Each structure stands twice: as C-alpha cells, then as structure tokens.
Amino acid sequence: MLTPTDKIWHNGRLIRWDEATIHVLSHVVSYGTSVFEGIRCYATPSGPAVFRLREHVRRLVDSARIYRMENVGFSADQLAEGMLELVRVNKMESCYIRPIVFRGYGEMGVNPVKNPIEVYLACWSWGKYLGEEALAEGVDVCVSSWTRIAPNTLPALAKAGANYMNSQLVKMEALANGYSEGIALDANGYVSEGSGENIFVVRDGKIHTPPLGASVLPGITRDSVLILARDLGIPVVETLVPREMLYIADEVFFSGTAAEITPIRSVDRIAVGKGRRGPIAEKLQKEFFAVINGTRPDQYGWLSPVHAVQPAAAR
Ligand code: PPE
C-alpha cells in the first residue's frame, strides 16, 4: 500500500495529501485525459538528488503538447523547482516523484479543451519494482498476446494515462500466467517494450534496442543506457528486433525509472543465455548505480540536488 507523505503540490500550492482529490466527473475520469511522469530521487552522500529532472520535465511538456495542452500554466523551470520543493517539504531522502497533468472538471463530452488543466506533483517511497531479487537474479517474462498501441492510434512518444490501459492488459496477462512482466510486440510484430520498461537485447557483444518508431516510450533510462554503453565502448544499435531474437540472445534486460536496469533470465520459459544476469547487464548496472548512488562524480550532470548547495563561504 501507498504510504502517504505530508504534502502534494497542486497548481503551485502545497496542499495536504488527503486534500488532493478530484470530482468524479472530471474529464480525465471518463476519457483518460492525462499525461504524467515517473522520476526517482536518490539518496546520495551529499543529500537527496533527482535523476535527470530536466529530461523528465521536458517529456512531460512534450506529452502535454501532443495532446494540445500547449500551456500547462507553469514553465519547465517552475515544474522542476516544484518537484525539488516537494521532496524538501516531505523530508524525503529518496522517493518516486509522480507529476500528473490532466483535464479537470467543467464540461462533459469528448472535446477536452474547455476543461481546466490541473497540475499535481506527488511523491512517495517506492522500492524495487519487479521484486527484491530481480536486479541480481533476473526476471521471467513472456511475450504478450496483446499488441502494443499502434502508430496513428495512441501516440507512444506521449506518456499518457490512456496508454497504460494497454500496459495493464499486458501486465495482468503476464501475472495471471505466472510471469513477472510481459513484452509487447508492435503492430508489425517486432519487439516493442515491456508494460512499463524499455528493452535491450544482446548478441555477440552488441546491444540492440527497438527504435522510437516501434511504439516505445522514449525512456530516459533507455537514453542513459545508450550513453553508458557508448562510453563503455559497447556497440549499440537502435534497430527493429524480431521476436525470435529474444530466444537466441545472450542477454535481455529492461530499463525504466521504476525497474532501473533489470535482467531478464527467461522469455516464454526459454532461458536467456545461461539463464541468469549476463556480464553486459551487470556492467551497465554497476555504472548506473554508481551514478545514482553518488559514489562517482556526476560527469553527465544527471543529478539535481534537492537541497541548494551552500556556497563555500557560508559553510
Ligand atoms: N516504457 C513504458 C511503457 C514505461 O511506462 C516506462 C516507464 C518506460 C518505458 C521507461 O521509461 P523511463 O522511466 O523514462 O526510463 N514506466 C514508469 C511507470 C511505472 C509504473 O508502474 O507506474 C516508470 O518506470 O516510472
């Protein structure tokens, strides 16, 4: 169960957790009119720091724009500052941050534009997404019988609430059949992504990941993996991945804010490689965790400290 924090940010104002309620006839409830983000704040030796805050805010603004919410009422800087303030007032060392932009209460009917845009920022403590052992041991997954949202239906580059009805079908089917997660194929039958993760496939030392045209969310962890792999000198390509590549791969792994970098040890009960975490996933995890835990200098500028850094003279 969700453990409440003190405050939630609503349209620029901090309100109590229990006050953050909406009317049942808000546009979002009937029509799914929302875009959102998922961001992690990590405990580092110099205090809590938000991972790739700018990139997440940018994707939120992009998602809103795709749905013709051209002005959400707050600038990217205001939203970013709102999140840092939220983590501060809730006194969190680490947490998951969930900004949500949606169409609220006003008019009924499919046309959303007369309904007010509401912006909420919330945070809470969120542990390991696919189970405690997943990061070290890997997870057992299946290819879903559900197809990922297709081009010209729901735009995959937007992180919209409605997309997650598709993700829920994928996830529920996987769990019902005894798997941790499902992988959806795109409308052309190529590998797309997990219900809440991007996917990577390794063969002969080279990493493959589906391109943005394969109905994937442009994952920020995905981008981080591409950068880390490049800097480790591991060849990586964004390319169409046929389903059967999953069965003959040396390694397969997921990336996501919640899932971080999670190895996959079997697909459809076929062992991936040796049936456990592979060396490339392990190497990338090591790099990734060194950055987010702040045990290595933040060479990419990926961490936004929650507490303002004191100028040297004031220390
Ligand atoms: N694809 C999907 C469909 C997706 O939902 C996520 C994030 C990703 C890829 C990875 O994107 P990124 O987080 O930017 O690296 N899924 C979020 C939702 C989890 C949830 O259950 O809610 C997340 O990981 O925060």
Side-chain angles (χ1 to χ4, degrees), residues 38 56 59 96 98 126 129 148 159 164 193-198 217 219-222 255-258:
H56 280 283
R59 191 173 64 187
Y96 185 87
R98 171 58 49 85
W126 215 7
Y129 191 57
R148 182 81 186 128
K159 190 172 171 74
Y164 288 82
E193 60 180 351
S195 76
E197 309 86 2
N198 292 112
L217 183 74
I220 287 157
T221 321
R222 173 184 182 276
S255 76
T257 298

Side-chain angles (χ1 to χ4, degrees), residues 133-140 202 249-253 262-267 270-282 285:
E133 290 159 15
L135 293 176
E137 305 296 323
V139 290
D140 301 305
V202 181
D250 301 318
E251 297 185 40
V252 184
F253 56 90
T262 300
I264 294 171
R265 67 181 175 195
S266 74
V267 180
I270 300 174
V272 174
K274 298 205 169 71
R276 53 182 146 85
R277 175 173 66 186
I280 289 183
E282 189 170 357
Q285 282 182 328

Side-chain angles (χ1 to χ4, degrees), residues 26 93 274:
S26 299
E93 276 308 308
K274 298 205 169 71

Side-chain angles (χ1 to χ4, degrees), residues 4-82:
T5 55
D6 245 18
K7 301 286 187 196
I8 286 178
W9 186 104
H10 174 218
N11 292 347
R13 227 164 45 84
L14 289 164
I15 59 175
R16 280 187 299 106
W17 177 277
D18 293 335
E19 271 184 290
T21 57
I22 61 169
H23 196 280
V24 69
L25 293 180
S26 299
H27 202 269
V28 60
V29 177
S30 289
Y31 307 110
T33 329
S34 73
V35 295
F36 70 102
E37 272 304 314
I39 311 175
R40 275 196 195 265
C41 171
Y42 289 102
T44 78
S46 47
V50 180
F51 184 68
R52 305 203 71 177
L53 178 57
R54 262 187 322 270
E55 291 84 351
H56 280 283
V57 171
R58 181 174 187 214
R59 191 173 64 187
L60 182 67
V61 171
D62 287 348
S63 298
R65 187 178 175 82
I66 289 168
Y67 281 96
R68 298 180 187 272
M69 294 189 258
E70 271 146 48
N71 182 5
V72 303
F74 298 91
S75 68
D77 284 347
Q78 286 172 317
L79 294 170
E81 188 40 55

Side-chain angles (χ1 to χ4, degrees), residues 20-248:
T21 57
I22 61 169
H23 196 280
V24 69
L25 293 180
S26 299
H27 202 269
V28 60
V29 177
S30 289
Y31 307 110
T33 329
S34 73
V35 295
F36 70 102
E37 272 304 314
I39 311 175
R40 275 196 195 265
C41 171
Y42 289 102
T44 78
S46 47
V50 180
F51 184 68
R52 305 203 71 177
L53 178 57
R54 262 187 322 270
E55 291 84 351
H56 280 283
V57 171
R58 181 174 187 214
R59 191 173 64 187
L60 182 67
V61 171
D62 287 348
S63 298
R65 187 178 175 82
I66 289 168
Y67 281 96
R68 298 180 187 272
M69 294 189 258
E70 271 146 48
N71 182 5
V72 303
F74 298 91
S75 68
D77 284 347
Q78 286 172 317
L79 294 170
E81 188 40 55
M83 286 184 239
L84 296 172
E85 187 190 6
L86 180 76
V87 177
R88 275 196 299 271
V89 299
N90 285 318
K91 302 189 172 62
M92 306 299 278
E93 276 308 308
S94 64
C95 61
Y96 185 87
I97 308 170
R98 171 58 49 85
I100 314 175
V101 176
F102 65 86
R103 292 281 187 177
Y105 177 80
E107 261 192 11
M108 271 301 175
V110 168
N111 178 18
V113 302
K114 295 252 174 69
N115 294 287
I117 295 173
E118 307 280 353
V119 185
Y120 284 85
L121 311 173
C123 72
W124 66 88
S125 211
W126 215 7
K128 300 297 170 209
Y129 191 57
L130 294 171
E132 270 307 319
E133 290 159 15
L135 293 176
E137 305 296 323
V139 290
D140 301 305
V141 309
C142 61
V143 172
S144 186
S145 71
W146 294 102
T147 295
R148 182 81 186 128
I149 50 173
N152 264 346
T153 64
L154 290 169
L157 297 194
K159 190 172 171 74
N163 296 0
Y164 288 82
M165 292 302 274
N166 174 255
S167 287
Q168 288 178 51
L169 291 169
V170 170
K171 185 76 180 188
M172 290 189 292
E173 182 191 49
L175 294 176
N177 290 326
Y179 301 97
S180 303
E181 184 55 286
I183 297 166
L185 306 180
D186 71 10
N188 294 313
Y190 293 101
V191 173
S192 178
E193 60 180 351
S195 76
E197 309 86 2
N198 292 112
I199 194 167
F200 295 82
V201 179
V202 181
R203 183 154 155 116
D204 295 336
K206 184 171 175 181
I207 303 178
H208 307 72
T209 197
L212 298 189
S215 299
V216 303
L217 183 74
I220 287 157
T221 321
R222 173 184 182 276
D223 181 67
S224 310
V225 167
L226 293 176
I227 292 169
L228 292 174
R230 186 196 62 202
D231 289 0
L232 286 167
I234 305 168
V236 22
V237 285
E238 294 175 73
T239 183
L240 292 176
V241 176
R243 171 182 183 159
E244 62 276 22
M245 186 84 137
L246 300 168
Y247 305 136
I248 57 172

